[in-house]
Amino acid sequence: DGGITQSPKYLFRKEGQNVTLSCEQNLNHDAMYWYRQDPGQGLRLIYYSQIVNDFQKGDIAEGYSVSREKKESFPLTVTSAQKNPTAFYLCASSMWIQEISGANVLTFGAGSRLTVL
Amino acid sequence: GNSVTQMEGPVTLSEEAFLTINCTYTATGYPSLFWYVQYPGEGLQLLLKATKADDKGSNKGFEATYRKETTSFHLEKGSVQVSDSAVYFCALIYNQGGKLIFGQGTELSVKP
């Protein structure tokens, strides 16, 4: 079955450590996204990528980094510069059809919960 | 800027009650509108969508109508079940750019 796989599901980090969250998709989607979810705040966009070797900052990119070396993979690194990293992180992907309204539906992974100790 | 506002939760209902979750948006132009659902411990799933004014999206007994005159996309269901307990997110997307803008989410709890 096609879908998005995020790992690990739960991750604990000590302050000052960098951690990397994995996101893999086999949907042949061009675009991939990382969102952060905090209680009562909905989803906020961290980074997104339209094609391989290209990505753009979202609304809250500070303290995060990404890479897009392969179409299927879009890992997110939470660096020690991120002041409040404890959150639920969601990866998503979509076809990138800019001209067709409503066609760019996002498919989400199951999420990774990061806790800083 | 573009934004989505949802009614605050949690919303607690008894089984078979009628559900309305309000969603209004602010946007220039003509966005497409979505409702996503997040079951406990999971990612988001698309529930329904509408791409132009007066369109009605429907799925699993849920409905929402794109009302341009009131800039609203309220989610309704005639008879909720315990299995509908989840967090519901309203979202919009522009015709170009492809980035979803989410509301803050509304938690629904259905009691037997």
Side-chain angles (χ1 to χ4, degrees):
Chain A
D1 290 338
I4 299 180
T5 301
Q6 289 187 240
S7 62
K9 190 169 180 67
Y10 299 96
L11 183 61
F12 298 89
R13 185 193 98 173
K14 293 181 181 179
E15 285 195 27
Q17 287 182 334
N18 292 354
V19 293
T20 297
L21 307 180
S22 170
C23 178
E24 304 277 334
Q25 55 101 356
N26 61 3
L27 299 166
N28 200 32
H29 284 170
D30 289 321
M32 297 187 75
Y33 312 77
W34 275 105
Y35 287 89
R36 171 180 170 142
Q37 184 178 14
D38 296 282
Q41 294 193 46
L43 278 71
R44 293 181 289 170
L45 183 63
I46 304 173
Y47 268 98
Y48 64 103
S49 168
Q50 300 184 45
I51 57 173
V52 174
N53 293 323
D54 185 56
F55 47 83
Q56 288 79 42
K57 292 181 179 180
D59 301 318
I60 55 165
E62 186 175 352
Y64 300 97
S65 65
V66 293
S67 62
R68 187 84 187 277
E69 297 177 1
K70 299 186 299 182
K71 186 175 183 178
E72 306 80 40
S73 179
F74 191 42
L76 173 74
T77 297
V78 184
T79 75
S80 57
Q82 169 51 234
K83 299 305 180 188
N84 185 21
T86 295
F88 190 53
Y89 291 88
L90 287 161
C91 179
S93 70
S94 70
M95 298 298 290
W96 194 264
I97 307 173
Q98 291 191 359
E99 304 304 321
I100 301 175
S101 170
N104 201 20
V105 174
L106 267 64
T107 300
F108 283 84
S112 294
R113 185 167 298 281
L114 172 63
T115 303
V116 173
L117 303 173
Chain B
N2 304 320
S3 67
V4 177
T5 302
Q6 297 179 226
M7 64 186 289
E8 287 195 20
V11 174
T12 302
L13 296 173
S14 298
E15 207 164 20
E16 299 184 1
F18 184 86
L19 168 71
T20 300
I21 299 179
N22 290 340
C23 170
T24 57
Y25 66 90
T26 302
T28 55
Y30 303 95
S32 295
L33 302 172
F34 302 81
W35 276 101
Y36 279 82
V37 58
Q38 184 180 33
Y39 297 103
E42 299 183 8
L44 276 68
Q45 303 173 26
L46 178 67
L47 182 59
L48 53 83
K49 68 176 183 177
T51 59
K52 61 183 186 296
D54 299 325
D55 267 2
K56 177 185 283 186
S58 61
N59 185 26
K60 299 181 180 179
F62 292 90
E63 293 183 340
T65 300
Y66 188 159
R67 302 285 187 199
K68 191 173 186 302
E69 64 275 14
T70 55
T71 62
S72 65
F73 193 54
H74 304 324
L75 182 68
E76 296 181 336
K77 187 175 185 182
S79 176
V80 293
Q81 306 300 313
V82 173
S83 57
D84 293 326
S85 298
V87 180
Y88 292 82
F89 291 92
C90 186
L92 68 80
I93 193 170
Y94 253 58
N95 290 1
Q96 293 182 344
K99 290 185 291 179
L100 273 175
I101 298 172
F102 286 91
Q104 76 272 31
T106 302
E107 181 181 357
L108 170 66
S109 177
V110 180
K111 306 298 184 186

